[in-house]
Every structure is written in C-alpha cells, then in structure tokens.
Amino acid sequence: MTIEPRELATARYGARSPTRHSTHHHRAMDVKDDERANANANETKTQIVTPWDVEGVDGQGVDYDKLIKEFGCAKITSDMVHRIERATGVRAHPFLRRGMFFAHRELDGILDAYERGEKFYLYTGRGPSSESLHLGHLIPFHFTAWLQRAFKVPLVIQLTDDEKFLWKDLTLEECERLGRENAKDIIACGFDAKRTFIFSDVNYMCTPMYKNMMKIAKCVTLNQVRGIFGFTGDSNIGQVGFPPTQAAPSFPDCFPHMFGENKKSLRCLIPCAIDQDPYFRMTRDVAPRIGGYKPALIESRFFPALKGESGKMSASDASSAIYVTDSPKEIKNKVNKYAFSGGQLTVEDHRRIGGNLDVDISWKWLNFFLEDDEELVKIGEEYSSGRMLSGEIKAKLIDTLVPIVLAHQAARQAVDDALIDEFMSTQPRVFASLFGNMGDIAGALDETTIANAKPGVAIGAPAADGDDEKKIIQIQAQTGENGEPMSKTQQKKLLKDAQIAEKKARIAEEKAAKVKDAEANN
Ligand code: TRP
C-alpha cells in the first residue's frame, strides 16, 4: 500500500518490475543525475522515495525518520495506538503495535471526529501490474481489513489500471484483466462485501469521480507536479495528468451510490505505504479549495525483500520474493536458500556472537507475520544471544508463512465472479448500513426515505447541500486565492523540489545534446 508496504528500492527494480518501461530507465538516469547535481551543489546524497522508485543512500535501507521530516508527516506514537484501542475497543493489530504502520497525517483528527460520533470511510488501492502478488502486497490489505472491522466503516479500493498502463509496457486491456485478477486476492484478505466498493479506474471514469478530478487538476500546475513527483519533459502526458485520478477518491462524493452527493458527508482515512505520500500531500493541499476535508493518512514502512535490505538485486528475479501462489515446498526452499541471514559464518562464532537482528530477514518477516508477541520476543532473545541458529529461525519463519499462504490460496479459490461483481457493483447501497453494528437495515427503512431515494444515490445518504461553491468562495475570502495557505516549510520544500526537478531536466537535456553531438560526429 501503498499503504502499500513496498519492497526496498533494489527490490522494486527486481521483483516488482520485470518489464522495465522506458520511464524506469529514465528514473534510473535521473537518480544518477540527481547525485551529480547534488555533488555539484556540494550537498549530501539524498535517498529517493517516490511512488515509483525507492532507493536508500549507498544501498542502505531507507532512513524513515529523515523521510518523515522531508515529507512533513508525523510519527505514530504509542499513545495514539492506545487511543485507537480505546476508541474501537479492539486490541491494536500487530502492524500497528510493532510500528510497521509508523507515520500519519491528521490521524488524530480522524480519532477526534470518531470519538464525537462523526463518520469516516477508508480508501486504499492497488496498481494492477502483475498477476502474482507477493507477501508484501497483502500487508496493506490485511491491515485495511482490520481497520474496517475495528472501526466498522466503509471502504473504497481503487484499481489503478490506467496508472499501470501509463507506466508499464502493458496494454490497457491487460491492465484491466490484471485488476480483476488482483481483486480476487484483495477480496481474499477478508473484506466485508456490504461495506466495500472495489473499482477499476477505466470503468469508473464516467461517474462524479471525473468531476472531482477536473476540479483537482485545475488547482495544480505543471511546475507543482514536477516538484512533487519528479516528472520531466520526457514523462508522457498521461503520467503528468495522472495524480488527480489517485487524489479524487479521497472525496466521498466520487461515490454517490455509497456516500451520497455531499463532499463533506464523510472524512477519509487512507492506509498506504509511505511512497504514496506525494499523491496525498497534493490532495491535502487542494482539498479546501474544492470544498472537501483533507484526507488523513496512516502510512507504513516498506516490506523488506527476501534477499535483504541492502544488496542489489537483478531484474525479474523470482527468488527475491515469496508469491501468494507459492507451494509450501517453494516457500521452504526460498527461505532456506535466499532469506538474508544475520547469523555468523560458523556455529562457534554464532554461539559466541549471536545473530544480528538488524539485518536478518527471517527476524524481520517474523515481526510482520508472527501473531504471538511473547513468542516473538523469545525468538529475538534466543537468536541474538546465539542460542538459536540461523537454520532454526528460518524453520520458524517457514512454519509461520506456510499456513498464511495456504489460507490465502483457499480464500482466493472461493472468490467467484458473482462475488467480484458484488464488490464492484454500483447499485445504491443503504448509507446507514455501511457503519457500526447495524448490518443490512434495507428492510427496515421507512417509506419516506425510500420514496425520496434518488436513482444512483445511496439510500438515506446526507443530501448534497449545493453550497459547495459558496463555501469555497468563503474559504478563498478568508485565506486568499489559494485556499488554505501553505506553511513556510511546505513552500520551501516545493520550491526545492522544483529546483531539483529543473536541475535534473537541464542535465538530462545537456546529456541528450551531447549524445546527439557524438552521433553527429560519428
Ligand atoms: N498507486 C498505487 C500503486 O501503484 C495504487 C493506489 C491507488 C493506492 N490509490 C491508492 C495505494 C490509495 C494506496 C492508497 O499501487
């Protein structure tokens, strides 16, 4: 998710993008250029985190504290985790207790509102670029399913088939097909069909979502997306124009069949991996100007690759990840053969020095997948003290993963076309039954509510107040043309981003010119 916990940089070039599109070459080049630009400017090297590329400095893992500072989001504190437990009456999910979901934007605002009895909805998504999901892809969905159960709220899931078409060497039809295939894996993560709407961008574009996209698009300039996303003159214009598509579902009036036509009927909380933050930074900046709430975010770290967080990986490397389709035997082989070990070279050394938890992938993955807190602590002690050997912690990981993968395969097997259609249906839902313990109250509705239902609009949803325009004008009057003013730091960051983007573009142009010269001379 992005909540998607991604694999680290190197891994993304490998496992996630076996077919490199030209953009990836460009991005790879940009990184070098960026380094050069920075060296020229006598600055320190920077890590790269965008929705398409994640790269630490010198092959190291991502510095998350630095990322929080750069992006301007906040850390999730243990107080906040306890507050979630109090508000929902449910023990926090291990991903939350153990800091996999570690950053947020305005999560406290959502909790304040929830405690006041206000409603919100969840929004997450997936770019369907391949048929075979790996374990990392499931993490945001398992977490989102937990959020849905804990808070008893509705959820929309965007399949960005258009995004993958624009960024990968795939046909649009293939991306659509992959979206439907991926929907099976997503549904298998345990969502409630009554409260969940899954949609494909290319299919849902004839709805009010498009209106929101246009309103958002009008607020954002080319210079801004260059700064935020690093687009260059070589990006195709579909890519440059894509961000509003991912921004729009943050506003409930995109989904009148679920939430009615009122932009302020609900707040939105987005679980995603932190690489998706740029999209929603942009969305939050625009929100007041189009009359909506800023979406809140709950953001995860990246899921570490099997071969370790620092080593380089080669492209299309099937051994770099465990796929949800792998058999128990394949899981066993891959973990034993490839899981990066923090163990020592000889048993004697290992007993004396102990295993290094900072780099050991079995340990890291157990932190994601082993439910039992006490057992986890014990394994950590045993392994780091040298009493437990590398082969033993790997065996523990295999024993943990196999039942999870088998359960997923069984759940996916049970998803038929009728169930996918139910999740993707735009039939008006009963607004009230999306929240709390009410279940399906369709049968219990009074006659006036039914009589007043508008075609295509959720039954009993708050009516549109038609005052959007007026409110926006009010906001503009209060804050100047641009809606809520950006903070000084935000402005500085945008400016710096734009300068870096410009520098990159200049260097790329110079390079291109040189190549041309060289060609001309040959
Ligand atoms: N861009 C995301 C991806 O490539 C998919 C996505 C769309 C998403 N909307 C989202 C992820 C909202 C998290 C939250 O996977």
Short mmCIF file of all heavy atoms in Angstrom, two decimals, residues 279-325:
data_model
loop_
_atom_site.label_atom_id
_atom_site.label_comp_id
_atom_site.label_asym_id
_atom_site.label_seq_id
_atom_site.Cartn_x
_atom_site.Cartn_y
_atom_site.Cartn_z
N TYR A 279 1.16 11.79 -3.54
CA TYR A 279 -0.19 11.95 -4.09
C TYR A 279 -1.09 12.69 -3.11
O TYR A 279 -1.89 13.54 -3.48
CB TYR A 279 -0.84 10.58 -4.34
CG TYR A 279 -0.39 9.88 -5.60
CD1 TYR A 279 0.29 8.66 -5.53
CD2 TYR A 279 -0.67 10.41 -6.84
CE1 TYR A 279 0.68 8.00 -6.68
CE2 TYR A 279 -0.28 9.76 -8.00
CZ TYR A 279 0.40 8.55 -7.91
OH TYR A 279 0.78 7.91 -9.05
N PHE A 280 -0.96 12.28 -1.86
CA PHE A 280 -1.93 12.79 -0.89
C PHE A 280 -1.49 14.10 -0.25
O PHE A 280 -2.30 14.83 0.30
CB PHE A 280 -2.27 11.68 0.11
CG PHE A 280 -2.80 10.46 -0.59
CD1 PHE A 280 -2.13 9.23 -0.53
CD2 PHE A 280 -3.93 10.56 -1.39
CE1 PHE A 280 -2.60 8.14 -1.24
CE2 PHE A 280 -4.41 9.46 -2.11
CZ PHE A 280 -3.75 8.24 -2.02
N ARG A 281 -0.20 14.38 -0.35
CA ARG A 281 0.28 15.71 0.01
C ARG A 281 -0.38 16.70 -0.95
O ARG A 281 -0.90 17.74 -0.54
CB ARG A 281 1.79 15.75 -0.18
CG ARG A 281 2.54 16.57 0.81
CD ARG A 281 4.01 16.62 0.45
NE ARG A 281 4.65 15.30 0.43
CZ ARG A 281 5.66 14.99 -0.38
NH1 ARG A 281 6.15 15.86 -1.23
NH2 ARG A 281 6.19 13.78 -0.33
N MET A 282 -0.37 16.33 -2.23
CA MET A 282 -1.01 17.18 -3.23
C MET A 282 -2.51 17.29 -2.96
O MET A 282 -3.08 18.38 -2.99
CB MET A 282 -0.77 16.58 -4.62
CG MET A 282 -1.32 17.42 -5.76
SD MET A 282 -1.41 16.48 -7.32
CE MET A 282 -3.01 15.71 -7.15
N THR A 283 -3.14 16.15 -2.65
CA THR A 283 -4.59 16.14 -2.40
C THR A 283 -4.95 17.03 -1.22
O THR A 283 -5.92 17.81 -1.27
CB THR A 283 -5.07 14.70 -2.07
OG1 THR A 283 -4.52 13.80 -3.02
CG2 THR A 283 -6.58 14.63 -2.10
N ARG A 284 -4.16 16.95 -0.16
CA ARG A 284 -4.46 17.73 1.04
C ARG A 284 -4.29 19.22 0.77
O ARG A 284 -5.03 20.04 1.30
CB ARG A 284 -3.55 17.28 2.20
CG ARG A 284 -3.97 15.95 2.80
CD ARG A 284 -2.93 15.41 3.78
NE ARG A 284 -2.63 16.35 4.83
CZ ARG A 284 -3.34 16.52 5.94
NH1 ARG A 284 -4.41 15.78 6.15
NH2 ARG A 284 -3.00 17.40 6.84
N ASP A 285 -3.34 19.53 -0.08
CA ASP A 285 -3.13 20.93 -0.43
C ASP A 285 -4.34 21.49 -1.18
O ASP A 285 -4.76 22.63 -0.96
CB ASP A 285 -1.86 21.03 -1.29
CG ASP A 285 -1.51 22.46 -1.62
OD1 ASP A 285 -1.62 23.30 -0.70
OD2 ASP A 285 -1.15 22.75 -2.77
N VAL A 286 -4.93 20.65 -2.04
CA VAL A 286 -6.03 21.09 -2.89
C VAL A 286 -7.38 21.07 -2.16
O VAL A 286 -8.27 21.88 -2.44
CB VAL A 286 -6.09 20.18 -4.15
CG1 VAL A 286 -7.38 20.38 -4.91
CG2 VAL A 286 -4.88 20.43 -5.04
N ALA A 287 -7.54 20.14 -1.21
CA ALA A 287 -8.85 19.85 -0.61
C ALA A 287 -9.69 21.08 -0.24
O ALA A 287 -10.84 21.19 -0.68
CB ALA A 287 -8.68 18.92 0.60
N PRO A 288 -9.15 22.02 0.53
CA PRO A 288 -10.00 23.16 0.93
C PRO A 288 -10.46 23.98 -0.27
O PRO A 288 -11.54 24.57 -0.24
CB PRO A 288 -9.10 23.99 1.84
CG PRO A 288 -7.76 23.38 1.84
CD PRO A 288 -7.80 22.09 1.10
N ARG A 289 -9.64 23.99 -1.32
CA ARG A 289 -10.01 24.80 -2.48
C ARG A 289 -11.16 24.20 -3.26
O ARG A 289 -11.82 24.89 -4.03
CB ARG A 289 -8.79 24.98 -3.39
CG ARG A 289 -7.80 25.96 -2.78
CD ARG A 289 -6.69 26.26 -3.75
NE ARG A 289 -5.60 25.31 -3.57
CZ ARG A 289 -4.62 25.17 -4.45
NH1 ARG A 289 -4.61 25.86 -5.56
NH2 ARG A 289 -3.65 24.32 -4.20
N ILE A 290 -11.39 22.87 -3.12
CA ILE A 290 -12.54 22.29 -3.82
C ILE A 290 -13.66 21.94 -2.83
O ILE A 290 -14.60 21.23 -3.16
CB ILE A 290 -12.15 21.07 -4.69
CG1 ILE A 290 -11.69 19.89 -3.85
CG2 ILE A 290 -11.05 21.45 -5.68
CD1 ILE A 290 -11.63 18.59 -4.64
N GLY A 291 -13.52 22.42 -1.60
CA GLY A 291 -14.61 22.29 -0.64
C GLY A 291 -14.68 20.97 0.10
O GLY A 291 -15.73 20.60 0.62
N GLY A 292 -13.57 20.24 0.17
CA GLY A 292 -13.58 18.95 0.86
C GLY A 292 -12.68 18.94 2.08
O GLY A 292 -11.87 19.85 2.28
N TYR A 293 -12.84 17.89 2.92
CA TYR A 293 -11.90 17.68 4.02
C TYR A 293 -10.57 17.21 3.44
O TYR A 293 -10.54 16.48 2.45
CB TYR A 293 -12.39 16.57 4.94
CG TYR A 293 -13.59 16.89 5.79
CD1 TYR A 293 -14.76 16.16 5.66
CD2 TYR A 293 -13.53 17.90 6.75
CE1 TYR A 293 -15.86 16.42 6.46
CE2 TYR A 293 -14.62 18.17 7.56
CZ TYR A 293 -15.78 17.43 7.40
OH TYR A 293 -16.86 17.69 8.19
N LYS A 294 -9.49 17.58 4.11
CA LYS A 294 -8.21 16.96 3.75
C LYS A 294 -8.24 15.50 4.17
O LYS A 294 -8.61 15.22 5.31
CB LYS A 294 -7.07 17.65 4.52
CG LYS A 294 -6.83 19.07 4.12
CD LYS A 294 -5.67 19.64 4.91
CE LYS A 294 -5.39 21.05 4.43
NZ LYS A 294 -4.06 21.52 4.82
N PRO A 295 -7.85 14.56 3.31
CA PRO A 295 -7.82 13.16 3.76
C PRO A 295 -6.73 12.96 4.81
O PRO A 295 -5.69 13.61 4.75
CB PRO A 295 -7.49 12.40 2.48
CG PRO A 295 -6.76 13.38 1.62
CD PRO A 295 -7.36 14.72 1.93
N ALA A 296 -6.99 12.08 5.78
CA ALA A 296 -5.97 11.70 6.76
C ALA A 296 -5.24 10.47 6.24
O ALA A 296 -5.77 9.73 5.42
CB ALA A 296 -6.62 11.41 8.11
N LEU A 297 -4.02 10.25 6.73
CA LEU A 297 -3.22 9.13 6.24
C LEU A 297 -2.67 8.30 7.39
O LEU A 297 -2.35 8.85 8.45
CB LEU A 297 -2.02 9.65 5.44
CG LEU A 297 -2.32 10.41 4.16
CD1 LEU A 297 -1.07 11.08 3.65
CD2 LEU A 297 -2.86 9.46 3.11
N ILE A 298 -2.56 6.99 7.16
CA ILE A 298 -1.83 6.12 8.07
C ILE A 298 -0.88 5.32 7.21
O ILE A 298 -1.29 4.61 6.31
CB ILE A 298 -2.80 5.29 8.95
CG1 ILE A 298 -2.05 4.39 9.90
CG2 ILE A 298 -3.78 4.48 8.13
CD1 ILE A 298 -2.91 3.87 11.05
N GLU A 299 0.43 5.52 7.45
CA GLU A 299 1.43 5.11 6.46
C GLU A 299 2.41 4.06 6.98
O GLU A 299 2.86 4.13 8.13
CB GLU A 299 2.22 6.34 6.01
CG GLU A 299 1.31 7.41 5.42
CD GLU A 299 2.04 8.68 5.00
OE1 GLU A 299 2.79 9.23 5.82
OE2 GLU A 299 1.85 9.08 3.85
N SER A 300 2.74 3.12 6.09
CA SER A 300 3.61 2.02 6.50
C SER A 300 5.02 2.15 5.95
O SER A 300 5.26 2.86 4.98
CB SER A 300 3.03 0.68 6.03
OG SER A 300 3.28 0.51 4.66
N ARG A 301 5.90 1.41 6.57
CA ARG A 301 7.25 1.20 6.04
C ARG A 301 7.18 0.29 4.83
O ARG A 301 6.14 -0.29 4.57
CB ARG A 301 8.11 0.46 7.08
CG ARG A 301 8.39 1.25 8.28
CD ARG A 301 8.93 0.33 9.38
NE ARG A 301 8.86 1.05 10.63
CZ ARG A 301 9.83 1.85 11.04
NH1 ARG A 301 10.95 1.97 10.36
NH2 ARG A 301 9.70 2.53 12.16
N PHE A 302 8.32 0.06 4.20
CA PHE A 302 8.39 -0.87 3.08
C PHE A 302 8.66 -2.27 3.60
O PHE A 302 9.31 -2.44 4.62
CB PHE A 302 9.48 -0.44 2.10
CG PHE A 302 9.30 0.97 1.65
CD1 PHE A 302 10.18 1.95 2.04
CD2 PHE A 302 8.21 1.32 0.88
CE1 PHE A 302 10.00 3.27 1.65
CE2 PHE A 302 8.01 2.63 0.48
CZ PHE A 302 8.91 3.60 0.86
N PHE A 303 8.15 -3.22 2.87
CA PHE A 303 8.34 -4.61 3.25
C PHE A 303 9.72 -5.05 2.76
O PHE A 303 10.02 -4.93 1.58
CB PHE A 303 7.24 -5.44 2.60
CG PHE A 303 7.26 -6.89 3.00
CD1 PHE A 303 7.11 -7.26 4.32
CD2 PHE A 303 7.44 -7.87 2.04
CE1 PHE A 303 7.13 -8.60 4.69
CE2 PHE A 303 7.45 -9.21 2.41
CZ PHE A 303 7.30 -9.57 3.72
N PRO A 304 10.57 -5.57 3.67
CA PRO A 304 11.93 -5.89 3.23
C PRO A 304 11.97 -7.07 2.26
O PRO A 304 11.22 -8.03 2.41
CB PRO A 304 12.66 -6.22 4.53
CG PRO A 304 11.61 -6.46 5.55
CD PRO A 304 10.36 -5.79 5.10
N ALA A 305 12.84 -6.99 1.28
CA ALA A 305 12.97 -8.06 0.29
C ALA A 305 13.65 -9.28 0.93
O ALA A 305 14.44 -9.15 1.86
CB ALA A 305 13.79 -7.57 -0.89
N LEU A 306 13.33 -10.44 0.38
CA LEU A 306 13.84 -11.70 0.93
C LEU A 306 15.37 -11.71 1.01
O LEU A 306 15.95 -12.17 1.99
CB LEU A 306 13.36 -12.86 0.04
CG LEU A 306 13.61 -14.27 0.54
CD1 LEU A 306 12.96 -14.51 1.88
CD2 LEU A 306 13.10 -15.29 -0.48
N LYS A 307 16.01 -11.16 -0.01
CA LYS A 307 17.48 -11.24 -0.04
C LYS A 307 18.16 -10.15 0.77
O LYS A 307 19.38 -9.99 0.70
CB LYS A 307 17.96 -11.19 -1.48
CG LYS A 307 17.69 -12.48 -2.23
CD LYS A 307 18.20 -12.37 -3.64
CE LYS A 307 18.19 -13.71 -4.34
NZ LYS A 307 18.59 -13.54 -5.76
N GLY A 308 17.35 -9.35 1.47
CA GLY A 308 17.97 -8.37 2.36
C GLY A 308 17.72 -6.96 1.91
O GLY A 308 17.40 -6.71 0.75
N GLU A 309 17.89 -6.04 2.84
CA GLU A 309 17.53 -4.66 2.57
C GLU A 309 18.60 -3.88 1.84
O GLU A 309 18.34 -2.81 1.32
CB GLU A 309 17.19 -3.94 3.88
CG GLU A 309 15.88 -4.42 4.44
CD GLU A 309 15.40 -3.56 5.58
OE1 GLU A 309 16.15 -3.40 6.56
OE2 GLU A 309 14.28 -3.06 5.50
N SER A 310 19.82 -4.42 1.79
CA SER A 310 20.87 -3.59 1.21
C SER A 310 21.41 -4.10 -0.12
O SER A 310 21.77 -3.32 -0.98
CB SER A 310 22.01 -3.41 2.20
OG SER A 310 22.36 -4.65 2.75
N GLY A 311 21.45 -5.40 -0.32
CA GLY A 311 22.08 -5.92 -1.53
C GLY A 311 21.34 -5.52 -2.79
O GLY A 311 20.15 -5.31 -2.78
N LYS A 312 22.06 -5.40 -3.88
CA LYS A 312 21.43 -5.13 -5.17
C LYS A 312 20.76 -6.42 -5.66
O LYS A 312 21.23 -7.52 -5.39
CB LYS A 312 22.50 -4.72 -6.19
CG LYS A 312 22.88 -3.27 -6.09
CD LYS A 312 22.06 -2.43 -7.06
CE LYS A 312 22.44 -0.97 -6.95
NZ LYS A 312 21.35 -0.11 -6.50
N MET A 313 19.69 -6.26 -6.37
CA MET A 313 19.05 -7.45 -6.94
C MET A 313 18.90 -7.31 -8.43
O MET A 313 18.71 -6.23 -8.94
CB MET A 313 17.68 -7.64 -6.30
CG MET A 313 17.83 -8.16 -4.91
SD MET A 313 16.43 -9.03 -4.34
CE MET A 313 15.17 -7.96 -4.74
N SER A 314 18.96 -8.44 -9.12
CA SER A 314 18.84 -8.38 -10.57
C SER A 314 17.37 -8.37 -10.96
O SER A 314 16.50 -8.78 -10.20
CB SER A 314 19.54 -9.56 -11.20
OG SER A 314 18.92 -10.74 -10.79
N ALA A 315 17.11 -7.89 -12.17
CA ALA A 315 15.73 -7.78 -12.64
C ALA A 315 15.06 -9.15 -12.77
O ALA A 315 15.73 -10.16 -12.93
CB ALA A 315 15.71 -7.05 -13.97
N SER A 316 13.78 -9.16 -12.72
CA SER A 316 12.92 -10.34 -12.88
C SER A 316 13.49 -11.54 -12.13
O SER A 316 13.70 -12.61 -12.69
CB SER A 316 12.72 -10.68 -14.36
OG SER A 316 13.96 -10.94 -14.97
N ASP A 317 13.76 -11.36 -10.88
CA ASP A 317 14.34 -12.39 -10.04
C ASP A 317 13.24 -13.03 -9.19
O ASP A 317 12.83 -12.47 -8.19
CB ASP A 317 15.41 -11.73 -9.14
CG ASP A 317 16.16 -12.75 -8.34
OD1 ASP A 317 15.77 -13.94 -8.36
OD2 ASP A 317 17.14 -12.36 -7.68
N ALA A 318 12.79 -14.21 -9.62
CA ALA A 318 11.66 -14.86 -8.94
C ALA A 318 12.03 -15.30 -7.53
O ALA A 318 11.17 -15.55 -6.71
CB ALA A 318 11.17 -16.04 -9.75
N SER A 319 13.33 -15.37 -7.26
CA SER A 319 13.74 -15.83 -5.94
C SER A 319 13.78 -14.69 -4.93
O SER A 319 14.07 -14.88 -3.77
CB SER A 319 15.12 -16.47 -6.03
OG SER A 319 16.05 -15.49 -6.44
N SER A 320 13.45 -13.49 -5.39
CA SER A 320 13.58 -12.33 -4.50
C SER A 320 12.35 -12.12 -3.64
O SER A 320 12.34 -11.28 -2.78
CB SER A 320 13.84 -11.08 -5.32
OG SER A 320 12.74 -10.86 -6.17
N ALA A 321 11.29 -12.88 -3.91
CA ALA A 321 10.06 -12.66 -3.17
C ALA A 321 9.32 -13.99 -3.02
O ALA A 321 9.57 -14.93 -3.77
CB ALA A 321 9.17 -11.67 -3.90
N ILE A 322 8.42 -14.03 -2.04
CA ILE A 322 7.55 -15.19 -1.92
C ILE A 322 6.18 -14.78 -2.41
O ILE A 322 5.61 -13.78 -1.95
CB ILE A 322 7.53 -15.70 -0.48
CG1 ILE A 322 8.89 -16.35 -0.24
CG2 ILE A 322 6.39 -16.69 -0.26
CD1 ILE A 322 9.06 -17.06 1.04
N TYR A 323 5.70 -15.50 -3.40
CA TYR A 323 4.43 -15.15 -4.02
C TYR A 323 3.28 -15.87 -3.32
O TYR A 323 3.47 -16.94 -2.73
CB TYR A 323 4.45 -15.51 -5.51
CG TYR A 323 5.45 -14.67 -6.25
CD1 TYR A 323 6.75 -15.11 -6.45
CD2 TYR A 323 5.11 -13.39 -6.69
CE1 TYR A 323 7.69 -14.32 -7.09
CE2 TYR A 323 6.03 -12.59 -7.33
CZ TYR A 323 7.32 -13.05 -7.53
OH TYR A 323 8.24 -12.24 -8.14
N VAL A 324 2.10 -15.28 -3.41
CA VAL A 324 0.95 -15.89 -2.72
C VAL A 324 0.55 -17.21 -3.39
O VAL A 324 -0.24 -17.96 -2.85
CB VAL A 324 -0.26 -14.93 -2.67
CG1 VAL A 324 0.09 -13.70 -1.86
CG2 VAL A 324 -0.74 -14.54 -4.05
N THR A 325 1.14 -17.47 -4.57
CA THR A 325 0.83 -18.73 -5.27
C THR A 325 1.87 -19.81 -4.99
O THR A 325 1.74 -20.93 -5.47
CB THR A 325 0.79 -18.46 -6.79
OG1 THR A 325 1.93 -17.66 -7.13
CG2 THR A 325 -0.47 -17.71 -7.18
#
